[in-house]
Each structure stands twice: as C-alpha cells, then as structure tokens.
Amino acid sequence: YYFQLESFIYNPILAIGQTVMVFTSHNLAANQPDRARKGIRTSMGMGIGIALAVAAVMLLIAPQCFGLFSTDPEAIAAGITVMQTTYPFYFFYAFIEVFSNAARGSGRSWQPMAIVLGNMCGLRLVLLFVFTHFIGGIRSIAMVYPPSWAAAGIMLMIFYFVSHCIDKPEFADKNAEG
C-alpha cells in the first residue's frame, strides 16, 4: 500500500525532473544558458518545496491514508513506519531528478546514469546488509532509502557544477560540426 501512496510525493518530483531536461536542452540549443540555470534553480526550489509540503500533509494523515487500503492494524503500522522513515528526507529526491535531468538536457546521459545506479543499487545493497544485520525490522529496510538519495543527489550536484554542463553542453559541438 505504501507504493500507491508514495506516488503522491514521487510523481510531482519526477515530473519536475523531466521538465528540467526538456527546458535545459531547449534553452541550451537556443544559446540561453542563463535562462537554463534560472529554470534549474526554480525547479530545485519547487521540487524541495513540493516534497516537504506533501511529506508534511501525508505524515499528518498517514493512518487515514493507509486505512483506505487495509483494516489490518499491523499493515497500517508498517506503512506508517516506512513513511515516517522516508518522507522527511524525500526532498533529496529533488536533487536527483533536477541535477541528473539538467545534465541529460545538456547531452550528458551516461554520467548521471552511473551515479544513480551506483547509489540506488550498489550503496543500497551495502546499507541493506548493514542495517538489517545490525538493526533489523521493517524500519531498517526503509532506512536504506534516505542515505542513498542523499548520496546520489550530492554526487549529481557535484557533477553538475564540476562538469560545467550548462556552459559546455555536449550536443553543441555535434551541432557545430554537422
């Protein structure tokens, strides 16, 4: 049931990320890097704001939300536990979506993919082993998400700034040649 409720927080952030990719590519193709940067900053603020607002509302009404899907008190308690563990940190997902899609919009796709895969698969597996071994329970499983989101988001933000992808889009060289 958790994943059905998660769509209320995940889908808006995902949509913002997809919009960033298109907005960035169009503005870089039009030689408007400052406009692309402004859109990225605005999208980052929107993503964080939406994540925090939805998280706050969903956490307040979590019992009622899970009650729509189940009357089992244990199932409802498990869903609330996962929500309480992950939702306060969901704003990190905005970093993932905005910075990875800004890089993709500049023509860089394999680097964000490698960063996301390394953190969402590699880091999560390590954390899952450690947390379930030392902590146990459903909370230990939910606890793997926030650190992997934070690590991926920070690494993508660093890549975004270090690569200067807005100032040096990869597709610009290909268009100049062709």
Side-chain angles (χ1 to χ4, degrees):
Y1 308 116
Y2 171 82
F3 294 108
Q4 290 152 333
L5 295 174
E6 185 185 40
S7 66
F8 287 103
I9 194 166
Y10 175 76
N11 286 340
I13 298 168
L14 181 67
I16 288 169
Q18 295 296 303
T19 304
V20 165
M21 181 171 47
V22 173
F23 187 82
T24 300
S25 64
H26 284 206
N27 279 285
L28 294 180
N31 199 25
Q32 296 289 325
D34 290 337
R35 189 166 182 223
R37 273 196 270 307
K38 183 178 179 186
I40 292 164
R41 282 192 306 272
T42 301
S43 297
M44 199 60 228
M46 288 172 54
I48 291 170
I50 288 170
L52 293 173
V54 172
V57 170
M58 294 295 286
L59 286 167
L60 285 173
I61 62 171
Q64 293 81 8
C65 289
F66 285 106
L68 294 172
F69 298 100
S70 178
T71 56
D72 180 3
E74 288 182 30
I76 293 170
I80 292 170
T81 296
V82 173
M83 191 181 275
Q84 289 172 337
T85 306
T86 58
Y87 272 41
F89 304 100
Y90 227 106
F91 69 93
F92 282 121
Y93 215 87
F95 285 79
I96 295 170
E97 288 299 323
V98 170
F99 288 118
S100 67
N101 283 300
R104 288 183 187 107
S106 76
R108 291 167 176 82
S109 59
W110 73 267
Q111 299 95 331
M113 178 197 66
I115 291 168
V116 169
L117 279 174
N119 285 285
M120 301 300 195
C121 296
L123 178 60
R124 272 192 196 162
L125 286 174
V126 171
L127 292 174
L128 188 60
F129 174 78
V130 172
F131 290 171
T132 57
H133 183 73
F134 291 105
I135 300 168
I138 194 163
R139 187 176 302 275
S140 68
I141 296 169
M143 287 172 61
V144 304
Y145 289 94
S148 65
W149 295 336
I154 290 167
M155 290 177 75
L156 286 161
M157 183 175 63
I158 291 168
F159 172 75
Y160 168 83
F161 286 110
V162 169
S163 72
H164 302 284
C165 59
I166 301 302
D167 296 319
K168 301 175 191 169
E170 290 216 347
F171 61 82
D173 296 334
K174 293 175 185 155
N175 288 343
E177 295 170 6

